[in-house]
Amino acid sequence: GVAFAFGLERRTEKLNLETDTAFSTGDLFGQGGPTIGVAGQTTSNEYFLEARAPLIEGRPMAHLLSVNASYRNSDYSTGIKTDTYGLGLEWAPIREARFRGSYQRAARAANVIELFRAQGIALYDNDADPCAGATPTATLAQCARTGVTAAQYGTILDSPAGQYNYLQGGNPKLKAEESDSYTLGAVFTPSNNFNATIDVFRMSVDKVIDILPPNITLQQCITTGQFCNLINRDRLGTLWATPAAFIVGTNDNLGKRTTSGVDLGANYMVRLQNYGSLMFNFLGTFLKEFKNQPIPGLPDYDCAGLHGGTCGAPAPEWRHKLRATWSTPWKVDVALTWRYIGSVDHERTSSNPQLNGAVFEADKTLGARDYFDLYASW
């Protein structure tokens, strides 16, 4: 029959973090900048509705044809209103095979830290300041856009640690992120002891809440003249020597992210008569692309199979988890899980000019990793 659910929700999220004087002034050795407390609160009023209905049942080539839909409206105390909704269709021509597809519009409002985090100086890594040193790699005209005077050009001391200042912090005017997700898949159940799934997915997120990477800000100012107002050099012309030197990198609604790939899954159970049962569970993901467009108008870069300061955590093209569980009749369960994370290359090995750069030979590839977890309970 037809099934539906609806409801109302009021949610309050609040946070209060207080740091002591040493942290808030940034006086600790190696701290790299002050750690300032954060306090704030958001409240949302929401209502939602979900429904699922069979269209055809028990007919030739239509063991089941059903549709499902959902909707949620959220009204936040920050003035943000969001609508999320989805639509899905399932078709099982026979009991042993089912095909499914869905579309989902989702939204994520900024959290307390993203909204209210206090602004302060932090560090970011870069190969070098192109306007520093006795022979800068950028011209005088290009460096002038970043705040370098003619007298300073060729005399600026570069950071010996390759670390530079940027201004981090929250933004109470952040809008909600919005995403569109498309999935198409199939479920096969040839027997009661075995089933397998395959799902193709494509997801995109707009108005991503993030910081504009300071190294991109600097590079864009030098090459195109964009974002130069975010660069502040100190009286020495540096971007690191004093707190007055920094690049603004506070939270903002910036670019777009897109990812696509394939999810694979399988479950298989073996009954061991007087010795319980053995269950195998497999989940794997093939990542086709993980594209990032840091700001509207800039070209995107694909981080699939890469990792680094711009791409972030490793995004392997293949990863999986295989778990074997033995459930005994003596109330003892034993499980072994194998997690595999494929190898990734350093982002600077990419041909994309936004990622490409010098990299040590030893850092070019991060090898595949295998993790084995043993679990038992009584």
Side-chain angles (χ1 to χ4, degrees):
V2 177
F4 66 93
F6 61 90
L8 303 173
E9 181 178 346
R10 179 178 174 86
R11 185 174 66 254
T12 297
E13 300 179 8
K14 57 185 177 181
L15 172 70
N16 184 28
L17 170 67
E18 298 180 4
T19 56
D20 61 19
T21 302
F23 272 97
S24 59
T25 56
D27 289 336
L28 298 178
F29 180 77
Q31 188 176 351
T35 303
I36 306 173
V38 58
Q41 175 177 310
T42 62
T43 301
S44 64
N45 297 309
E46 309 182 15
Y47 63 88
F48 63 89
L49 173 67
E50 300 178 46
R52 182 174 185 172
L55 304 179
I56 304 175
E57 281 187 288
R59 298 298 178 92
M61 293 303 295
H63 173 71
L64 174 65
L65 178 64
S66 67
V67 64
N68 59 80
S70 59
Y71 174 79
R72 176 181 288 261
N73 176 272
S74 305
D75 187 353
Y76 293 88
S77 57
T78 55
I80 299 298
K81 296 182 179 180
T82 63
D83 295 288
T84 64
Y85 45 88
L87 182 66
L89 185 69
E90 292 186 355
W91 172 48
I94 57 177
R95 184 186 300 272
E96 293 81 10
R98 181 184 303 249
F99 302 93
R100 58 193 180 187
S102 69
Y103 164 74
Q104 180 75 40
R105 161 56 65 94
R108 186 186 77 85
N111 59 42
V112 172
I113 295 177
E114 292 168 333
L115 290 168
F116 305 118
R117 184 177 184 178
Q119 296 186 359
I121 297 296
L123 297 177
Y124 77 95
D125 296 330
N126 203 351
D127 290 333
D129 179 354
C131 296
T135 56
T137 58
T139 66
L140 174 59
Q142 291 175 324
C143 292
R145 300 172 187 165
T146 73
V148 175
T149 65
Q152 292 172 335
Y153 186 75
T155 66
I156 298 174
L157 182 63
D158 202 1
S159 170
Q163 293 181 314
Y164 305 86
N165 297 336
Y166 80 97
L167 183 68
Q168 65 175 358
N171 179 359
K173 297 181 180 180
L174 288 172
K175 301 173 184 175
E177 297 178 340
E178 295 179 347
S179 74
D180 293 294
S181 302
Y182 302 87
T183 63
L184 187 64
V187 182
F188 302 100
T189 312
S191 70
N192 291 333
N193 295 332
F194 177 75
N195 66 72
T197 63
I198 178 172
D199 290 280
V200 179
F201 63 86
R202 179 176 178 82
M203 308 174 187
S204 63
V205 184
D206 289 312
K207 296 185 286 188
V208 173
I209 297 174
D210 204 348
I211 69 167
L212 181 60
N215 51 353
I216 291 181
T217 301
L218 182 60
Q219 187 62 31
Q220 285 298 114
C221 176
I222 287 175
T223 57
T224 68
Q226 286 183 296
F227 314 120
C228 296
N229 61 312
L230 302 179
I231 301 174
N232 297 270
R233 293 185 179 272
D234 59 17
R235 59 182 177 81
L236 305 174
T238 80
L239 291 172
W240 64 277
T242 70
F246 60 87
I247 295 177
V248 177
T250 51
N251 292 332
D252 206 345
N253 292 99
L254 296 170
K256 181 177 181 178
R257 291 177 184 162
T258 304
T259 185
S260 64
V262 181
D263 285 332
L264 301 171
N267 297 283
Y268 180 61
M269 184 177 68
V270 180
R271 300 189 184 278
L272 305 176
Q273 297 182 354
N274 297 329
Y275 299 96
S277 62
L278 194 61
M279 171 68 78
F280 296 93
N281 173 263
F282 173 83
L283 289 171
T285 297
F286 167 70
L287 183 65
K288 180 182 178 183
E289 63 178 8
F290 184 47
K291 292 184 177 179
N292 290 267
Q293 185 186 45
I295 53 176
L298 275 187
D300 57 26
Y301 52 86
D302 192 352
C303 288
L306 302 175
H307 78 104
T310 301
C311 284
E317 294 181 347
W318 174 256
R319 64 190 303 163
H320 70 246
K321 181 173 70 173
L322 177 62
R323 182 181 179 94
T325 304
W326 179 28
S327 297
T328 74
W330 312 294
K331 298 182 180 181
V332 175
D333 289 345
V334 180
L336 177 65
T337 301
W338 170 33
R339 291 182 293 142
Y340 173 84
I341 300 174
S343 64
V344 292
D345 294 327
H346 197 284
E347 63 187 30
R348 292 179 181 175
T349 62
S350 170
S351 59
N352 191 304
Q354 297 188 73
L355 301 175
N356 185 262
V359 58
F360 292 113
E361 185 68 27
D363 294 334
K364 284 185 176 181
T365 300
L366 180 64
R369 294 292 190 269
D370 296 277
Y371 297 93
F372 296 92
D373 303 317
L374 183 62
Y375 164 85
S377 68
W378 173 62

